[in-house]
Amino acid sequence: QVQLVESGGGLVQAGKSLRLACISSGTTSGSWTHYWHRTAPGKQREWVASISAGGITDYTDAVKGRFTIFRDTVENTVYLQMNNLKPGDTAVYSCSAKWGPYEAWGQGTQVTVSS
């Protein structure tokens, strides 16, 4: 049973930072890749960042240099550190995990960046 729960969203001014957390229970064994996605108002879901079981990370160009995905293996939590936030980052941020045929999604957390 894999369950993902996001937290850390909120309202923040442009230029400030937020750290999102994805508590990823049920993924302590296996070879799981974790992802962060976002859905902006009126837009389709967009992949933001990923981290493989071995710690290899990747990012969409829009957030490179500003966002960092990392994993705390002890706490089984995947984080998304978001720095220098911009109004265009406003979205519902969701995490997911995948291992072969297994996939799970969190419910999302709202991030609102004001100008």
Side-chain angles (χ1 to χ4, degrees), residues 22-30 32 34 51-56 69-79:
C22 175
I23 302 174
S24 182
S25 63
T27 61
T28 56
S29 62
W32 294 88
H34 287 85
I51 182 168
S52 73
I56 300 174
I69 185 172
F70 61 99
R71 177 188 286 120
D72 184 329
T73 57
V74 175
E75 298 294 333
N76 299 313
T77 302
V78 175
Y79 296 92

Side-chain angles (χ1 to χ4, degrees), residues 2 4 24 27 32-35 95-99 102-105:
V2 177
L4 307 178
S24 182
T27 61
W32 294 88
T33 297
H34 287 85
Y35 309 82
C95 64
S96 68
K98 185 177 181 180
W99 178 34
Y102 304 104
E103 186 176 56
W105 287 78

Side-chain angles (χ1 to χ4, degrees), residues 48-108:
V48 174
S50 63
I51 182 168
S52 73
I56 300 174
T57 61
D58 200 8
Y59 304 88
T60 189
D61 287 343
V63 307
K64 285 182 179 178
R66 299 190 297 121
F67 291 10
T68 303
I69 185 172
F70 61 99
R71 177 188 286 120
D72 184 329
T73 57
V74 175
E75 298 294 333
N76 299 313
T77 302
V78 175
Y79 296 92
L80 185 67
Q81 178 68 42
M82 305 184 295
N83 296 329
N84 191 24
L85 283 161
K86 305 177 183 299
D89 296 320
T90 295
V92 175
Y93 285 74
S94 303
C95 64
S96 68
K98 185 177 181 180
W99 178 34
Y102 304 104
E103 186 176 56
W105 287 78
Q107 70 278 22

